[in-house]
């Protein structure tokens, strides 16, 4: 079995370099996600990524607790990431949002808690609050005050580390330059793959000791409601496939390895046991500098994740290269 490597975050905690992504289409049964997380832990995954938005934390918590109960892992072996949803961005709601996730998980802390999007939405039970015209209702919240509440969650031991997701350089600078900043964001989780390689944002994050975590690293499944159906399929790309054949690897393994060699941490989303195992085998081969340069050349600024509903908000577009 490949040895799972970890990266030290700026606050001293270790984060496994490869994680299991768990966002899924509404068509995927919750029981499937629970079984997938159990299988992933059996395969060797120790980093599980989810969010309040995905509405699957109850099943994931159950899977983690089952693998702890049967002796496969201890709680300390698992690195679990959750995310603050946009309807909880008011400072007084941040801990409420985290505690809702912890209650679903039946865990006492998360290893990493991220602000999911730099766009506060109207508080309430609706995940996507909309007006009578069907447009999203935004909330006027200063994200610096949201971050201060995130810092309090870390200080209270409810989250070991804190970070952000879908932030661009300007939004990261706003947090980093906050007066009285106590805890820096340890990471920025963004869409990143050979068609959207985020090289400028990666350079910015590295210079500030912020780990970049890639989601949609294999492109994305068009079954998901929020994915652009017209984009080319990354894993069918002939250049990617030629490099995979040369190394006798799958295109997915090459796409994951590409990110690891660039210094990113990476999430692989598959609930299929065979592909889960294949995706895990990325620590025992090396892409050449020529391979890396060729893969860099695939960048087309193609995004799989459509977030155009957020476009009226001044923080849109997210994780752009500015």
């Amino acid at each position: 079995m490949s040895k799972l490597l970890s990266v030290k975050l700026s606050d001293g905690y270790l984060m496994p370099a490869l994680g299991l992504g768990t966002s899924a289409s509404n068509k995927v049964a919750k029981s499937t996600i629970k079984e997938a997380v159990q299988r992933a832990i059996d395969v060797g995954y120790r980093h599980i990524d989810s969010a309040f938005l995905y509405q699957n934390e109850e099943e994931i918590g159950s899977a983690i607790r089952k693998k702890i109960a049967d002796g496969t892992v201890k709680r300390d072996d698992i690195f679990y990431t959750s995310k603050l949803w946009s309807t909880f961005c008011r400072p007084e709601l941040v801990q409420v949002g985290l505690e809702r996730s912890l209650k679903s998980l039946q865990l006492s802390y998360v290893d990493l808690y991220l602000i999911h999007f730099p766009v506060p939405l109207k508080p309430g039970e609706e995940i996507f609050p909309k007006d009578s015209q069907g447009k999203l209702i935004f909330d006027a919240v200063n994200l610096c005050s949201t971050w201060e509440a995130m810092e309090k969650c870390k200080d209270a031991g409810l989250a070991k580390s804190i970070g952000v997701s879908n932030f661009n350089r300007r939004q990261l600078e706003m947090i980093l330059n906050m007066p009285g900043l106590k805890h820096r964001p340890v990471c920025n989780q963004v869409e990143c793959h050979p068609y959207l390689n985020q090289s400028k944002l990666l350079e910015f994050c590295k210079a500030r000791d912020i780990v970049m975590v890639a989601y949609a690293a294999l492109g994305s499944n068009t079954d998901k409601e929020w994915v652009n159906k017209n984009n080319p399929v990354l894993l069918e790309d002939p250049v990617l496939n030629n490099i995979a054949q040369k190394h006798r690897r799958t295109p997915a393994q090459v796409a994951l390895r590409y990110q690891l060699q660039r210094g990113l941490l990476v999430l692989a989303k598959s609930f299929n046991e065979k592909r889960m195992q294949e995706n895990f085998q990325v620590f025992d081969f090396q892409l050449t500098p020529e391979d890396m340069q060729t893969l860099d050349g695939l960048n087309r600024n193609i995004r799989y994740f459509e977030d155009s509903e957020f476009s009226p908000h001044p923080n849109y577009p997210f994780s752009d290269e500015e």
Side-chain angles (χ1 to χ4, degrees):
M1 181 189 287
S2 289
K3 182 168 168 47
L4 182 55
L5 300 179
S6 291
V7 169
K8 186 178 260 195
L9 301 173
S10 62
D11 63 0
Y13 287 107
L14 290 174
M15 183 174 182
L18 176 69
L20 179 78
T22 63
S23 70
S25 155
N26 292 333
K27 298 170 199 157
V28 176
K30 302 291 187 201
S31 58
T32 303
I33 294 168
K34 180 180 174 180
E35 288 159 17
V37 171
Q38 288 173 199
R39 277 199 302 272
I41 292 171
D42 286 337
V43 165
Y45 288 84
R46 295 294 178 261
H47 171 185
I48 312 292
D49 179 274
S50 188
F52 178 85
L53 174 65
Y54 307 161
Q55 300 287 285
N56 61 15
E57 291 191 297
E58 200 172 315
E59 290 72 26
I60 291 174
S62 175
I64 291 170
R65 292 194 318 277
K66 185 169 183 191
K67 297 318 292 179
I68 291 170
D70 73 11
T72 305
V73 287
K74 298 192 279 292
R75 172 64 186 95
D76 287 354
D77 298 327
I78 297 293
F79 190 100
Y80 179 77
T81 300
S82 186
K83 305 180 193 82
L84 176 79
W85 182 237
S86 295
T87 53
F88 295 96
C89 281
R90 290 185 185 180
E92 68 273 17
L93 295 179
V94 170
Q95 187 168 322
V96 174
L98 175 48
E99 285 173 343
R100 289 258 304 252
S101 284
L102 290 172
K103 187 178 178 187
S104 295
L105 292 158
Q106 291 184 44
L107 297 175
S108 60
Y109 68 90
V110 296
D111 296 273
L112 178 61
Y113 200 48
L114 308 178
I115 298 177
H116 203 151
F117 279 100
V119 176
L121 295 174
K122 179 190 169 192
E125 287 309 304
E126 286 180 63
I127 288 181
F128 292 103
K130 292 184 178 176
D131 63 18
S132 55
Q133 274 82 48
K135 292 193 166 67
L136 281 176
I137 305 171
F138 300 122
D139 196 25
V141 179
N142 181 337
L143 286 171
C144 290
S145 63
T146 307
W147 186 255
E148 285 175 357
M150 294 281 286
E151 291 178 323
K152 287 174 183 165
C153 289
K154 176 175 168 68
D155 289 339
L158 299 176
K160 287 192 170 182
S161 300
I162 50 175
V164 296
S165 180
N166 300 300
F167 273 48
N168 63 28
R169 178 184 57 76
R170 187 168 38 87
Q171 291 145 8
L172 284 168
E173 282 179 335
M174 179 182 67
I175 302 293
L176 293 171
N177 297 333
M178 262 174 63
L181 178 70
K182 190 172 181 186
H183 302 297
R184 298 158 53 82
V186 297
C187 80
N188 185 21
Q189 187 186 122
V190 297
E191 178 177 348
C192 189
H193 42 76
Y195 288 166
L196 181 74
N197 71 24
Q198 302 270 25
S199 57
K200 288 182 187 168
L201 189 60
L202 176 60
E203 194 180 323
F204 175 86
C205 287
K206 279 183 174 178
R208 284 148 189 84
D209 204 10
I210 296 170
V211 168
M212 209 152 98
V213 180
Y215 71 76
L218 306 177
S220 195
N221 188 330
T222 53
D223 286 352
K224 290 179 181 173
E225 296 79 6
W226 54 88
V227 167
N228 187 324
K229 312 287 189 280
N230 302 316
N231 284 337
V233 178
L234 174 68
L235 296 182
E236 292 174 5
D237 185 276
V239 173
L240 184 64
N241 277 268
N242 284 342
I243 292 173
Q245 283 169 4
K246 183 177 89 172
H247 289 277
R248 296 182 182 172
R249 297 283 172 162
T250 67
Q253 287 171 328
V254 171
L256 296 172
R257 183 71 209 175
Y258 169 67
Q259 301 293 14
L260 293 169
Q261 285 186 215
R262 298 173 77 216
L264 283 88
L265 275 62
V266 65
L267 302 175
K269 219 289 329 256
S270 178
F271 297 157
N272 172 290
E273 188 167 5
K274 179 174 178 283
R275 285 197 292 272
M276 261 187 213
Q277 286 176 327
E278 286 173 352
N279 292 345
F280 199 75
Q281 307 300 314
V282 289
F283 298 103
D284 54 0
F285 77 103
Q286 194 85 8
L287 296 171
T288 66
E290 295 74 29
D291 294 334
M292 294 296 289
Q293 199 172 353
T294 303
L295 290 168
D296 283 341
L298 292 178
N299 187 47
R300 304 179 197 177
N301 291 320
I302 287 175
R303 289 179 186 273
Y304 286 96
F305 281 78
E306 291 276 282
D307 41 33
S308 53
E309 278 196 280
F310 289 114
S311 61
H313 196 276
N315 281 349
Y316 184 87
F318 312 131
S319 64
D320 62 348
E321 299 251 271
E322 288 192 21

